[in-house]
Amino acid sequence: MSLKSTFSWLPVTTMPDGSELRLPLHVVKGMHPGPTLGLTGAIHGDEVSPSVSIIRRVLEMLDPAELSGTVMAVPICNPLGAGELSRETPGDGQNANAVFFGPGSTKYTQPVKTVTEQIADVLADKVLAHLDYQIDFHSGGAEHAVHMIEFTKDPVTRGMARAFNMPILLHDEWRSGQMWRESERLGARVIVAECGGGGHLYHEWLDRGVSGTFNVMRHLDMLPGQVQKPPQQYVVRGDSGHEHNAHILKPREGGLIIPDPAITPQTVFDGQPVSGVPVLGELLNMYDLSVRQTFEAPFERTLLIAAVIAPSWNYPGEYAYILFDADKAEILD
């Protein structure tokens, strides 16, 4: 199956080795008038799977004859990070999802911007400024899995999030420097699809991401057909004033986190409350072979927003688990 998009490069800058840094842009123009939807991935370079494959499959399956509007897709927003499978950009060490401050911002103290800031400027000018809606894809990296659709207080984004048809939704807000905040400032409604990670259940997450994207497009009247009814969904809150709802577990020391056998890739994929698993994982010191820390579930029924699903080498203070209380979630039937 071939892509239905036109492809071009967006130039950013010249690198020290003389190579040209550029961003990939795919555009599908429908036969009917309508809004513009952006599909973006890998703003964090270690989150290419399954984000890139979801975007590719959507572009393969889109029929311009049925499409009302335009789809703009940037499967890799941070090529330097993706090339090293690094969350931050090699060279300047910046988080590319924290440098979108818009034109004329006093955030920049130097006359010449870093390479990450230049990537953000090109994305904002050439892509985000042209969007009405955006789905930004993320994953859990190499050893973690994530499961949530993030949306804001804007009812349009809530409707988009529901239509993606995943069980866990996070009511959040976009913060200064984030790409999502810049898209919002420029006029787009944004949701963030946090889908799997580490290649675990790759095909299941790929299918879920593609079907969710198409259902959102039907919800937005960009494609014909009936909008599929979502499953029972749990809505948890992480916006201002509700940050305490998230229970975040991090290792105090470096070492190997070994998940409990009950915490599997399928557990995170299902997105259902976990009960009867008091210890989610253990931190093993790789040298004296002692268990230095246990990661305990603080709730009777726990929603796993992010979790270690395979033995994972971690630095002190890195995220290991993000948990919410299922019994305090809003339930949507």
Side-chain angles (χ1 to χ4, degrees), residues 151-163 169 171 191 235 330 332:
F151 68 98
T152 67
K153 64 181 180 181
D154 184 333
V156 174
T157 67
R158 183 182 176 98
M160 293 169 64
R162 289 216 68 191
L169 310 182
H171 181 166
I191 62 172
V235 181
E330 176 188 3
L332 305 176

Side-chain angles (χ1 to χ4, degrees), residues 166-221:
M166 274 170 51
I168 302 177
L169 310 182
L170 174 62
H171 181 166
D172 207 345
E173 65 184 61
W174 313 143
R175 293 167 173 83
S176 178
Q178 290 179 325
M179 177 171 63
W180 319 319
R181 175 77 168 266
E182 181 67 359
S183 293
E184 185 179 65
R185 185 187 72 81
L186 292 168
R189 271 64 178 264
V190 185
I191 62 172
V192 180
E194 303 265 6
C195 298
H200 301 281
L201 297 182
Y202 167 82
H203 293 288
E204 290 86 346
W205 279 110
L206 171 59
D207 291 343
R208 172 178 272 175
V210 172
S211 63
T213 300
F214 278 113
N215 206 48
V216 170
M217 294 179 71
R218 288 190 291 268
H219 170 78
L220 297 173
D221 294 322

